[in-house]
Amino acid sequence: VNRGQEKKLESAIQALQISHNFGELAVLSNVREGSGRVSLFEKKVDEVKEFLHAVKDSRGSHGLSPSDPASLYICGAPGTGKTSSMKWCAKQIEEQTKSKDIRPTFCFINGAHIQSMTGNALKLVTKDIAEHLHISLKNPDISHVKNKLDLEGNASPTHLLFVVIDEIDLLLSNKKVQGAGNSGEKVLSVLFELASDKRYALSMIGISNSVGNRNARRLINLGNITKTIAYSTYRKEDLINIIEQRIGRTIVDPKAIEFAAAKVSSSSGDARKVLDLTASAISKRLEKMNSEQKSSKTLPCPLVKLPHMMQAVKATNKRFTDVIHGLPQMAKVTLCVAVSLAQIGPEWKSMTLGTLKRYCTEASSKNLMDDDLNMETFSSIIQQLTDSGLLLMGGGGNDAATEISQTSHSDLYHTRIQLGVQLQDVESAIEKTLLDQEFYRGMTAYVQRVNPRNRFN
């Protein structure tokens, strides 16, 4: 059976999957080529490579000084390329050192996986590390790892181990690891202690969405981390380059790609969302093709046009509505107030967490939020809205995530954020879910009556 156009579209959908074979390189390679400039993203990748080479050079020569960083914290919003670029850098340094005496080895571990483990989590993590170090023992423990990585005890050490823990902040949960006396924090403590001891050829790298909040501070303090790299969200031109690098310009109309990139960059800047949106638009096109069109080899290109992308966005808007329906009431209040402030003007998009909390308190007539509401609790509400794609949390300036990270040790009340929203999409969803209720209409009216000169500071 001839599946010409159908196969072409299905192959494009496959290429847009984040797990596609070249996905780790695709996010990186075309950011510079497409725009003729070095992007903020590439600058962050260069920082990661510099850290890896610094550790390799210092530990490889047995000359690590107390000032040399042994642990790295990579943070930023979801979908900003943290994990993909880390894997890309790991492959690069492994390729460059194949013939060297000391070979860097990367052990990637997922924090959620550790939290779901049954049995002694530290032993299971140690076993995973031992396999990467070719320790052929049935029940290796941490002492065997130490012996393998001991720079002083080995006349000719051959391994430099980078332990990379994705979603590392999940290990700070108060929940004990199932079936074990070890908490996730215990696992981290052991590994960070090894990394900070210059006798051992081990470095720790944590990857997390936590930027400038309590979890970020706890991780930095726990690991005595002196090097933090905060990734910024992608801009429209970066997202366009990512899509076109994967599927070219003939399958999806460039106008449709630009539309999707603009929608995503105005809210989250999450590369995964623009990939999903484009794949959804291609699926919409497939659904409308008859068998003759699917088998044809001569249909005019591009096959996927702006109306198909708009249909995909409309389906996303319905998801916003469903998400808002499921929010707890305090999160609904916060979202409603934040969107109302953003409608007033750009000067209202940058404020402190304390400022937003006070508006929420006043607008809800203190029925739900009062001055005693814990700021940690309020920041977790903001994080929930951010994770759901309804709000964008970040600082101002060219490198938003870096700006937040620089205030990570200050009081949360004074932590400055920028609220960016997909106004048309979220407004529409709010109208369908909240503004039919007098309570939320009253809050919106209150917020929009506020004189900008009298804003809380």
Side-chain angles (χ1 to χ4, degrees), residues 64-83:
L64 183 70
S65 68
S67 62
D68 288 327
S71 298
L72 171 66
Y73 183 55
I74 300 174
C75 57
T80 50
K82 302 182 298 294
T83 303

Side-chain angles (χ1 to χ4, degrees), residues 33 35 47 65-66 70 198 228 278 322 345 441 457:
E33 295 170 13
S35 59
E47 288 185 51
S65 68
K198 61 183 180 180
T228 298
T278 307
D322 294 340
R441 287 201 301 273
N457 290 307

Side-chain angles (χ1 to χ4, degrees), residues 18 155 163 228 306 349:
I18 194 65
V163 178
T228 298
L306 186 57
K349 291 185 179 179

Side-chain angles (χ1 to χ4, degrees), residues 269-322:
D270 187 334
R272 296 171 300 186
K273 290 185 178 180
V274 79
L275 292 173
D276 289 343
L277 199 58
T278 307
S280 177
I282 297 173
S283 296
K284 299 292 182 187
R285 178 67 175 104
L286 263 175
E287 291 171 4
K288 293 182 178 297
M289 293 172 69
N290 57 40
S291 58
E292 183 178 347
Q293 290 173 324
K294 289 179 179 179
S295 61
S296 172
K297 292 185 177 181
T298 59
L299 287 182
C301 290
L303 293 170
V304 182
K305 299 185 178 180
L306 186 57
H308 303 114
M309 189 66 75
M310 295 178 72
Q311 290 172 16
V313 169
K314 186 177 181 180
T316 300
N317 294 347
K318 184 180 184 303
R319 290 199 295 272
F320 280 155
T321 302
D322 294 340

Side-chain angles (χ1 to χ4, degrees), residues 388-399:
S388 66
L390 295 167
L391 289 182
L392 171 66
M393 181 176 177
N398 291 328
D399 193 345

